[in-house]
Amino acid sequence: MSSFNAIVPMSCVTAAAIAAMIAEAFRAPGERMPIGPLGAIGLAGAAISSVLLWKDGASSFGVVVADKFGLFVTFILIIVGVLSLAISEPTIDRERLPRGEYYALMLFALAGMMLMATATDLLIIFLALEVLSLAVYVLTGIRRDHALASEGALKYFLLGAFSSAFFLYGIAFTYGLTGSTRLDRIGSLMAAQAMAPTPMQLLAVGLLLVGFAFKVSAVPFHMWTPDAYEAAPPAITGFMSTGVKAAAFAAFVRVFLAAFEPLRPSWSPILWIVAAATMIVGTVVGVSQSSVKRMLAYSSIAHGGYLLLALLAANDVGKAAVLFYLLTYAVTNIGAFGVISVLENTDQPNDRVRDYAGLWYTHPALAALMTIFLLSLGGFPPMAGFIAKWYVFSAAVKRGYTGLAIIGVLTSVVSVFFYLRIIVMMYMTTTDTPARVPPIPRMAGLALIVSAILVFYLGILPTRVLDWAAASIATIF
Amino acid sequence: MNFPILTSLIALPIAGAVLLLFIRDEERNEPLIRNIALIVSVLVFAETLLLWTRFNPASADFQFVERHAWIPAFGIDYFVGVDGISLLLLVLTGFLTPIALLSSWESVHKRLKMFCVFILLLESAMMGVFVSLDLFLFYVFWDAMLVPMYFLIGIWGYDRRIYAAVKFILYTMAGSVLMLLAILGLAYLHSQGTTGEYTFDLLKLYAMDVPRSQQFWFFLAFALAFAIKVPLFPFHTWLPDAHVEAPTAGSVILAGVLLKMGTYGLVRFAFPLFPEAASFFAPYLAGLAVIGIIYGALVAMVQPDMKKLVAYSSVSHLGFVVLGIAAMNTQGVQGAVYQMLNHGVSTGGLFLIVGMLSDRRHTRLISEYGGLKNVVPRLVAVFFLITLSSIGLPGLNGFVGEFLILLGAFRWDPRLAALAATGVILSATYMLWMFQRVNYGPVTDEKNAKLPDLQPREWLVIAPIVAIAILMGIFPNLFLKPIEPSVNRLIGQVSQRSSQRLQAGNSELRIPN
């Protein structure tokens, strides 16, 4: 049985997802069922099993490895899951979404993400990618009567399917070259012949890079992001902007910094340009958005750029920085989308920047929470975002990527400009017609407060989590 | 275990702010909120005075040092201490915060609680900047301070407050992020050295010999951040906007303390960390400073708005401070530190006076006033004293600082001193001219005829400023004495290391390619 240990966390989540589906099937019309708590139980099971696995780790069938790296990402995903479940409730009620399907899809997506974070075989990574992607495509379009939703979901699906094909094609080439899909074997074979990379190798690396770049919405494969983020209900946007990113980056790190590390001289210049373009495009285009969700979509693209910078630096600091950054970004961004989600009204999305006018005067607590999240995204101390950015930049400086680090800090100043626009609206502008905000459900409010506390905790006392992140990367590289 | 007095300087305002958060922002709670904020800030001021009495003025070392590991994996410590240079800046911060709070007694009613919270948070961050001896910690406070100031300007400011607030925060950040990279680079460089230790400890970094080619870039990154903060010509454009639009309390703190962080940063970080680059760039800095002195004065002369005039006069006065620092001799630096304090007192005072006038008349245009001398004689008397102190009349505080700076500059380069001295004359021109137009002549506007004179509360605000201005003018040694050993140590540090290198055969310094 021990060979199943590594998949216990994701099995718990999958079981919860199946339970949610069954519950939905047996639900009488109009009956309220506590399906959300089912998911919470599944995630609690995943958390407990991950804690138990933390010390020794485990490996299942040689293709799923619950090492500290994978488990760290799993923890991030559990936090993402719990917070997303909590902030989903108001949206489901208001939009009359099918509760069971919604939660089941969310939990399946989480299981896929966890699998992706712990997989050490290209095919399993692909499988996980598809599991999470399909669920997220559906979630994006779950508001069926919403015009934007169908458009965004379809765009996301078509481009996503396209990139999956790239990814699969890359796997095929890799298999052709090395005769294996296991990352460790690919790594050792690549190392043996890395002196002069063949065109075939470059092609394999390039195709996989495109696949990953799409999933982490790196420029120029970011086109779907603003549309999909705008289309989905805000709780889902928060979920996919953090969860998908975390899972994709975990696999990205494993594939590129372990298996393809020997080919580094070939891919690092490309990644340099991609990282620079991602940071620049994300922030510059973000400045001109009038929809808060689109703005945060571009901000998410820019944050992907900082993560790419850490990945590119690829020293011990950089790898740990990826993990810490993902965690920080997860709690901060879900918090921000949580605020958007509770602001949403049935007939008014309250999604324009100007809808935030005077929010501080009508809802001081919500405005304060939003401010905390935005300042953290902007990288102000003593919020978590500052430590995360500092961590990334110190990795870059250490590796000698000073130019990229300069682009990074300057774009983060530009990004502050658009985060401030919302703050300006909330605090410094008054309006005669303040946005009507529905009452805030208790669970969602609690989730927001927890996120804010985590933001401060990671910003002021980051030592313990930084140590965990450092320990996590020690296990795989 | 001694009482951690420096930590309490940082923590006490935060504690006060947190306490305030638990009080409902209602009208009947207004006195309570004001009193709590005031009591906290007065306590902090008392603590800074206590610090001064306990401070050993004969020692050049950092005193009251506290050190705790914060993020050990990266060699980041919570490491604080004071020396003669930062000591009086702490006292100044402690002194101006209660005054700023008192000055808002009548003018701020909107969202009073958050106003007090932001002022207290700002105070805490300012204290943090002046006591940090760990570069990372310093940067945290340096950046964190922007947020409360941003809100103060943006919420309680005048008409164009949003523009001013955003400009303020973006300008300052743009300068400081490059400094962040330089700090990271410096720590990394230290880890390459013999000890292999990744550290942000200022004292260890002082001792490190930074290769010359890197010194230039590091110095430029630091100097840019500080030059924007000072603000040094041509990076000054954010200042008039921020000053003019900020509420009186914000202007007082902005001019009184925030600008000093730039000059303090030059003295504490940029010069001693990168002595060779500093001695290479010093003439350029001095050149910009002198341009700033004259330019600021000329622009101040033609301002129709009193607040803007005072803002541009800050550009001019801070130019003197930078000149003194660039001279890097005892008189120059001592004068510079002294002038930082002076400027805090006299410009703070001027902003308070302008605030009082604009509270009464709701305008700051010079042309709207005239003949106030007969209407509000006491206010005008105080106004006059502070004006003279700002001009630098002997017997008042401004004279000592400017004199020392000019002396230091003269020993270094007489031409610069000669040019800078014209700034003294110009400052007399624009200040006295403004004073004359506002206060002398007949009362031209009916609305000015019945203005009330100083209220008891206003006496409480302005009297300490006048008293300090006189005290600093008559007994400068009281203030100069604790400064001196630290200044001498600093100069020793800078000159010794830059000359060592020079004697080692690299006689010419060049910018690396």
Side-chain angles (χ1 to χ4, degrees):
Chain A
M1 278 304 282
S2 69
S3 64
F4 287 93
N5 281 355
I7 57 168
V8 171
M10 63 205 77
S11 308
C12 293
V13 179
T14 314
I18 294 170
M21 279 174 78
I22 295 174
E24 173 74 16
F26 284 96
R27 187 172 68 97
E31 185 191 352
R32 281 185 69 96
M33 254 190 190
I35 299 179
L38 269 181
I41 292 168
L43 287 169
I48 292 166
S49 50
S50 304
V51 170
L52 294 176
L53 284 168
W54 177 258
K55 194 158 166 278
D56 299 321
S59 165
S60 294
F61 323 112
V63 291
V64 179
V65 176
D67 50 10
K68 285 198 169 70
F69 178 82
L71 289 172
F72 192 98
V73 180
T74 306
F75 283 125
I76 297 176
L77 292 170
I78 291 169
I79 293 174
V80 166
V82 172
L83 293 175
S84 300
L85 287 178
I87 62 169
S88 290
E89 204 70 19
T91 316
I92 295 176
D93 283 340
R94 192 172 48 246
E95 306 267 340
R96 299 209 174 74
L97 299 176
R99 189 176 295 266
E101 281 167 39
Y102 182 100
Y103 283 129
L105 284 168
M106 192 179 247
L107 291 166
F108 277 129
L110 273 171
M113 290 168 188
M114 287 174 186
L115 182 61
M116 193 158 176
T118 45
T120 55
D121 184 293
L122 281 177
L123 276 180
I124 302 295
I125 292 177
F126 180 74
L127 195 69
L129 183 72
E130 287 305 291
V131 169
L132 81 89
S133 299
L134 286 174
V136 172
Y137 299 146
V138 180
L139 282 173
T140 305
I142 199 159
R143 292 190 286 190
R144 273 182 301 181
D145 42 1
H146 208 284
L148 277 176
S150 324
E151 185 197 331
L154 191 67
K155 258 188 197 165
Y156 189 19
F157 170 69
L158 286 178
L159 288 170
F162 207 53
S163 80
S164 293
F166 272 99
F167 194 76
L168 199 58
Y169 210 22
I171 294 175
F173 274 111
T174 313
Y175 181 74
L177 281 165
T178 59
S180 174
T181 51
R182 297 272 182 97
L183 293 180
D184 48 349
R185 280 190 217 147
I186 296 170
S188 52
L189 280 165
M190 289 281 180
Q193 39 182 275
M195 292 313 286
T198 60
M200 192 77 109
Q201 279 175 324
L202 296 181
L203 203 58
V205 172
L207 290 169
L208 286 172
L209 193 61
V210 170
F212 279 120
F214 180 87
K215 279 295 155 199
V216 302
S217 50
V219 174
F221 307 102
H222 66 287
M223 299 298 183
W224 58 274
T225 317
D227 292 318
Y229 280 20
E230 200 181 13
I236 292 298
T237 314
F239 173 69
M240 68 185 191
S241 66
T242 54
V244 175
K245 221 181 208 94
F249 262 103
F252 205 163
V253 166
R254 271 194 209 272
V255 172
F256 275 79
L257 299 188
F260 289 119
E261 177 65 28
L263 294 178
R264 187 181 174 81
S266 322
W267 54 256
S268 65
I270 302 170
L271 211 52
W272 198 103
I273 295 168
V274 170
T278 306
M279 291 188 279
I280 293 170
V281 171
T283 45
V284 172
V285 183
V287 168
S288 62
Q289 300 304 314
S290 62
S291 147
V292 176
K293 275 162 85 182
R294 285 186 88 86
M295 184 191 277
L296 286 181
Y298 282 103
S299 124
S300 161
I301 294 172
H303 284 280
Y306 302 129
L307 281 159
L308 284 175
L309 174 55
L311 188 144
L312 188 59
N315 39 30
D316 49 346
V317 186
K319 291 165 192 163
V322 172
L323 291 178
F324 189 78
Y325 204 106
L326 285 172
L327 175 62
T328 313
Y329 182 69
V331 290
T332 315
N333 219 37
I334 292 199
F337 277 104
V339 174
I340 298 178
S341 164
V342 298
L343 281 178
E344 221 179 28
N345 217 337
T346 333
D347 49 341
Q348 275 181 305
N350 285 339
D351 173 43
R352 305 277 118 189
V353 175
R354 62 168 184 276
D355 292 331
Y356 285 72
L359 188 67
W360 185 47
Y361 298 90
T362 53
H363 293 80
L366 267 187
L369 286 167
M370 191 65 173
T371 309
I372 290 168
F373 300 131
L374 290 174
L375 289 178
S376 175
L377 285 174
F380 278 95
M383 269 61 111
F386 172 69
I387 301 278
K389 276 202 177 131
W390 163 78
Y391 209 4
V392 165
F393 294 136
S394 73
V397 168
K398 200 169 176 186
R399 183 80 186 203
Y401 286 120
T402 316
L404 214 47
I406 290 175
I407 295 177
V409 292
L410 292 181
T411 52
S412 75
V413 174
V414 178
S415 75
V416 165
F417 176 75
F418 61 75
Y419 298 129
L420 287 185
R421 275 179 63 201
I422 302 180
I423 297 181
V424 163
M425 274 294 159
M426 291 193 298
Y427 288 83
M428 302 167 195
T429 320
T430 46
T431 170
D432 300 330
T433 52
R436 285 180 296 109
V437 178
I440 300 160
R442 198 169 294 162
M443 277 313 287
L446 190 66
L448 292 179
I449 290 170
V450 169
S451 305
I453 290 171
L454 281 173
V455 164
F456 277 113
Y457 174 73
L458 291 172
I460 297 172
L461 298 168
T463 309
R464 179 167 300 174
V465 181
L466 285 175
D467 285 346
W468 285 337
S472 302
I473 53 123
T475 56
I476 57 162
F477 302 104
Chain B
M1 181 69 197
N2 289 326
F3 178 66
I5 187 162
L6 295 183
T7 303
S8 73
L9 286 181
I10 301 170
L12 198 59
I14 294 184
V18 171
L19 180 66
L20 284 179
L21 285 179
F22 287 102
I23 300 174
R24 270 177 180 279
D25 198 4
E26 286 170 356
E27 203 167 331
R28 65 191 170 86
N29 286 340
E30 224 174 72
L32 179 68
I33 291 169
R34 288 194 197 280
N35 285 327
I36 289 178
L38 191 65
I39 288 169
V40 169
S41 62
V42 169
L43 273 179
V44 173
F45 178 46
E47 267 195 303
T48 59
L49 288 179
L50 182 71
L51 191 71
W52 192 1
T53 56
R54 297 283 179 81
F55 185 84
N56 173 10
S59 158
D61 290 331
F62 287 99
Q63 304 180 27
F64 306 100
V65 170
E66 293 167 45
R67 186 200 281 270
H68 306 283
W70 181 19
I71 309 178
F74 288 89
I76 296 171
D77 289 338
Y78 173 81
F79 181 27
V80 293
V82 282
D83 69 349
I85 297 172
S86 49
L87 172 73
L88 291 173
L89 288 169
L90 289 176
V91 179
L92 178 73
T93 311
F95 172 68
L96 285 178
T97 309
I99 288 184
L101 275 169
L102 268 176
S103 78
S104 64
W105 219 255
E106 304 288 316
S107 52
V108 173
H109 291 286
K110 182 178 86 167
R111 297 271 151 178
L112 175 75
K113 178 175 92 171
M114 288 314 285
F115 180 82
C116 294
V117 167
F118 283 129
I119 293 252
L120 288 177
L121 290 179
L122 187 61
E123 177 173 32
S124 163
M126 293 188 296
M127 293 286 181
V129 166
F130 290 131
V131 299
S132 297
L133 295 181
D134 182 283
L135 279 173
F136 182 82
L137 187 66
F138 163 74
Y139 189 84
V140 165
F141 284 122
W142 172 271
D143 233 17
M145 171 204 67
L146 299 178
V147 176
M149 194 69 218
Y150 164 76
F151 280 111
L152 284 176
I153 298 175
I155 300 179
W156 291 276
Y158 294 91
D159 302 340
R160 287 170 67 239
R161 58 184 190 274
I162 295 175
Y163 171 76
V166 173
K167 193 170 177 181
F168 162 76
I169 202 166
L170 287 183
Y171 251 71
T172 323
M173 262 202 100
S176 45
V177 288
L178 291 176
M179 178 169 75
L180 176 68
L181 285 187
I183 290 174
L184 288 170
L186 203 58
Y188 172 62
L189 205 64
H190 192 267
S191 77
Q192 301 282 76
T194 45
T195 54
E197 188 191 5
Y198 202 74
T199 185
F200 293 88
D201 182 331
L202 185 62
L203 302 184
K204 285 180 189 153
L205 294 173
Y206 273 162
M208 181 174 64
D209 209 5
V210 184
R212 212 171 354 136
S213 57
Q214 269 147 332
Q215 275 202 19
F216 285 91
W217 296 117
F218 286 156
F219 181 84
L220 283 178
F222 273 76
L224 178 67
F226 298 139
I228 289 177
K229 199 77 170 185
V230 169
L232 198 61
F233 179 88
F235 306 107
H236 64 280
T237 56
W238 65 270
L239 178 97
D241 288 309
H243 264 333
V244 170
E245 301 305 326
T248 303
S251 301
V252 170
I253 291 182
L254 195 60
V257 186
L258 256 64
L259 304 188
K260 310 305 173 307
M261 289 179 181
T263 45
Y264 171 77
L266 286 174
V267 176
R268 172 70 80 230
F269 302 102
F271 273 70
L273 279 172
F274 318 111
E276 288 167 71
S279 53
F280 177 82
F281 283 113
Y284 299 97
L285 275 181
L288 290 179
V290 169
I291 295 175
I293 291 172
I294 295 170
Y295 170 85
L298 289 177
V299 178
M301 211 176 286
V302 296
Q303 293 305 318
D305 180 324
M306 281 191 273
K307 223 172 171 186
K308 224 164 188 166
L309 186 146
V310 180
Y312 276 105
S313 84
S314 287
V315 176
S316 178
H317 285 297
L318 266 297
F320 276 103
V321 179
V322 175
L323 179 65
I325 295 170
M328 254 310 134
N329 47 35
T330 312
Q331 289 87 349
V333 178
Q334 230 179 358
V337 176
Y338 201 73
Q339 184 68 2
M340 288 189 218
L341 304 174
N342 287 333
H343 180 260
V345 171
S346 56
T347 307
L350 282 173
F351 275 122
L352 287 171
I353 298 273
V354 174
M356 289 171 189
L357 289 176
S358 91
D359 280 352
R360 286 171 167 72
R361 279 280 278 110
H362 301 286
T363 175
R364 302 180 308 256
L365 292 179
I366 297 172
S367 55
E368 289 282 317
Y369 294 93
L372 292 188
K373 187 167 111 28
N374 297 320
V375 187
V376 284
R378 295 194 182 90
L379 198 154
V380 171
V382 174
F383 193 175
F384 188 55
L385 262 171
I386 294 176
T387 305
L388 292 181
S389 129
S390 172
I391 295 171
L393 189 81
L396 288 167
N397 57 350
F399 173 72
V400 185
E402 278 177 6
F403 180 73
L404 280 172
I405 289 172
L406 288 175
L407 201 63
F410 191 82
R411 277 183 45 196
W412 181 45
D413 189 338
R415 290 165 302 173
L416 286 174
L419 282 171
T422 60
V424 181
I425 302 166
L426 288 173
S427 86
T429 319
Y430 63 77
M431 287 306 296
L432 289 177
W433 191 34
M434 184 260 280
F435 186 79
Q436 181 197 344
R437 280 179 292 166
V438 171
N439 298 313
Y440 292 126
V443 180
T444 45
D445 194 324
E446 271 305 297
K447 287 183 222 150
N448 290 331
K450 289 218 169 70
L451 294 182
D453 208 342
L454 284 179
Q455 310 291 311
R457 180 191 57 85
E458 290 172 329
W459 274 116
L460 208 59
V461 172
I462 204 74
I465 297 241
V466 174
I468 289 284
I470 297 173
L471 187 70
M472 286 182 75
I474 300 178
F475 301 109
N477 263 339
L478 198 63
F479 301 85
L480 285 171
K481 217 168 150 195
I483 301 176
E484 194 172 348
S486 304
V487 166
N488 284 333
R489 185 207 59 206
L490 169 83
I491 292 166
Q493 226 172 345
V494 174
S495 60
Q496 184 193 0
R497 278 181 48 200
S498 59
S499 62
Q500 259 173 9
R501 255 320 161 77
L502 287 175
Q503 283 160 4
N506 309 319
S507 55
E508 201 53 38
L509 287 165
R510 287 194 195 89
I511 294 187
N513 299 316

